[in-house]
Amino acid sequence: MNNEISVVRLIFTDNILTGLYIFHMFINLRLALVSGLKWVDEVIANAPYAITEKFMNSLFNEHKIDYIIHGDDPCLLPDGTDAYALAKKAGRYKQIKRTEGVSSTDIVGRILSSLKDTKTCENHDNSSSLPDNALKGSQSNSAHISQFLPTSRRIVQFSNGKGPGPNARVVYIDGAFDLFHAGHVEILRSARQLGDFLLVGIHTDQVVSEHRGKGHPIMHLHERSLSVLACRYVDEVIIGAPWEVTKDMVTTFNITLVVHGTVAENNSLLAGEPDPYAVPKNMGIFQMLDSPKTITTTSVAQRIVSNHEAYLKRNAKKAESEKKYYARKVYVSGD
């Protein structure tokens, strides 16, 4: 950490949904999610969206914060003014590079179009059908191709860079980890408590699609991998892990224990396929973990759909804002 900045803390608001975490509509879920990020030291709940003089003074005097930081994309109030104007005027504002290609607006669009495609293909399934007006205005899935460009440097930035010790108890858990949410954080925390090193397998887009159906995953493999790597309880990930846990995997990664949560979602049509955990079960190194939360990727997506009108309006406004950002943006160092 730069010696000039002694304290870095994330300011988190109860009434504004930001970044990849737009999906978590209740503050307790968002607090659990953000608190689980490896770079966060402390979370301040119920912070105002606009940096007022009173709030800014409390940050500097009570929380001993040196700088207020935001990405290089604009953050405007309803009247069009800069939400960080006072911090800039006080000389206590720092700007960092936005992660290109990661956009909550884009991801919400993917959710709406994914569910639209699912509805079209599965009208026979009443449990998954959605009202036509819920998806009106959403584009086809092909219109929401990820713009995220992963690089080796980006992966290194997210990685701990350390392997397990020679006698470490290595715990393995795998999954899609799509729309990374508070439920994922809690199960990963539980898994990490069972050993010294947590290895997480992230399934490929093709594998996830085969087991969850058309329109899944919402987020692509590298997006999902970096989301998991950002969690403080995760030591390493396998990017594109196989569906079945093999003897070779157990040996290669020196896995001591394989775990799986009680809350998971798969395509029921594939219920007759071989057990992916047959090998660790036969070896006596498999354990089911009680999932601390019942939230799933599907339930998160359904929240978006249930508030579809608000999200469509938000997306239309944000899309215009992002278009202006890309038209006017200049290079900002990522260092």
Side-chain angles (χ1 to χ4, degrees):
M1 183 180 294
N2 190 321
N3 292 331
E4 182 185 14
I5 305 176
S6 59
V7 180
V8 177
R9 292 184 176 131
L10 179 64
I11 303 169
F12 199 55
T13 119
D14 184 27
N15 58 346
I16 295 296
L17 309 174
T18 59
L20 292 180
Y21 312 113
I22 184 172
F23 315 109
H24 301 277
M25 302 179 69
F26 301 109
I27 189 168
N28 61 327
L29 295 180
R30 290 184 286 130
L31 285 174
L33 180 64
V34 177
S35 297
L37 297 177
K38 63 173 63 173
W39 302 286
V40 175
D41 300 299
E42 181 180 336
V43 178
I44 303 172
N46 300 310
Y49 185 57
I51 303 299
T52 64
E53 187 169 356
K54 179 180 179 181
F55 181 64
M56 186 170 65
N57 289 335
S58 73
L59 292 178
F60 299 146
N61 300 324
E62 297 174 26
H63 297 282
K64 307 302 179 184
I65 286 175
D66 298 294
Y67 294 100
I68 295 173
I69 300 174
H70 192 264
D72 60 336
D73 52 319
C75 186
L76 305 177
L77 298 174
D79 63 2
T81 58
D82 187 352
Y84 292 89
L86 287 177
K88 292 177 180 178
K89 184 177 180 180
R92 306 289 288 273
Y93 176 82
K94 292 284 186 179
Q95 181 173 279
I96 58 176
K97 184 175 178 61
R98 163 177 165 159
T99 302
E100 300 296 349
V102 177
S103 162
S104 58
T105 303
D106 171 55
I107 295 172
V108 168
R110 290 190 223 171
I111 291 172
L112 295 175
S113 62
S114 170
L115 293 175
K116 179 182 180 181
D117 289 343
T118 300
K119 178 179 182 292
T120 300
C121 296
E122 301 179 359
N123 280 331
H124 65 279
D125 184 356
N126 293 329
S127 63
S128 64
S129 64
L130 297 164
D132 290 334
N133 63 349
L135 301 171
K136 185 178 180 180
S138 63
Q139 296 174 288
S140 66
N141 206 31
S142 61
H144 292 284
I145 299 173
S146 173
Q147 301 301 312
F148 178 59
L149 302 175
T151 63
S152 58
R153 183 167 176 265
R154 177 71 68 196
I155 294 174
V156 169
Q157 287 174 331
F158 277 64
S159 173
N160 289 345
K162 297 180 180 179
N167 299 313
R169 181 175 170 82
V170 178
V171 179
Y172 178 75
I173 185 171
D174 60 6
F177 296 98
D178 199 11
L179 300 183
F180 195 72
H181 53 68
H184 292 140
V185 172
E186 295 300 327
I187 194 66
L188 292 173
R189 176 173 21 198
S190 297
R192 183 61 173 79
Q193 291 172 345
L194 296 175
D196 309 304
F197 190 92
L198 182 59
L199 175 65
V200 182
I202 315 294
H203 296 314
T204 65
D205 296 344
Q206 180 180 350
V207 166
V208 175
S209 181
E210 288 173 354
H211 290 83
R212 294 196 179 177
K214 183 177 175 61
H216 295 280
I218 303 297
M219 297 177 68
H220 304 296
L221 176 60
H222 287 100
E223 293 173 320
R224 292 183 285 117
S225 297
L226 291 187
S227 294
V228 173
L229 272 174
C231 181
R232 66 171 70 250
Y233 308 113
V234 176
D235 295 292
E236 181 65 289
V237 305
I238 300 176
I239 303 175
W243 178 250
E244 294 185 26
V245 180
T246 64
K247 179 66 168 63
D248 181 66
M249 278 184 62
V250 173
T251 302
T252 299
F253 295 101
N254 196 27
I255 296 171
T256 308
L257 181 67
V258 176
V259 300
H260 187 62
T262 52
V263 174
E265 47 188 341
N266 292 307
N267 190 336
S268 59
L269 296 177
L270 300 176
E273 72 171 13
D275 183 355
Y277 304 107
V279 169
K281 285 178 180 178
N282 289 335
M283 295 175 67
I285 60 170
F286 179 82
Q287 179 178 331
M288 287 297 295
L289 273 182
D290 287 332
S291 299
K293 297 186 182 299
T294 59
I295 185 174
T296 65
T297 298
T298 297
S299 67
V300 169
Q302 286 173 343
R303 290 183 190 173
I304 299 295
V305 174
S306 65
N307 293 272
H308 64 280
E309 291 185 0
Y311 280 107
L312 287 173
K313 290 178 181 178
R314 172 199 176 279
N315 265 24
K317 184 176 181 180
K318 287 287 291 182
E320 186 61 30
S321 175
E322 290 193 359
K323 186 184 297 184
K324 291 180 180 178
Y325 159 76
Y326 281 110
R328 300 173 183 174
K329 83 168 189 175
V330 295
Y331 177 76
V332 175
S333 173
D335 296 326

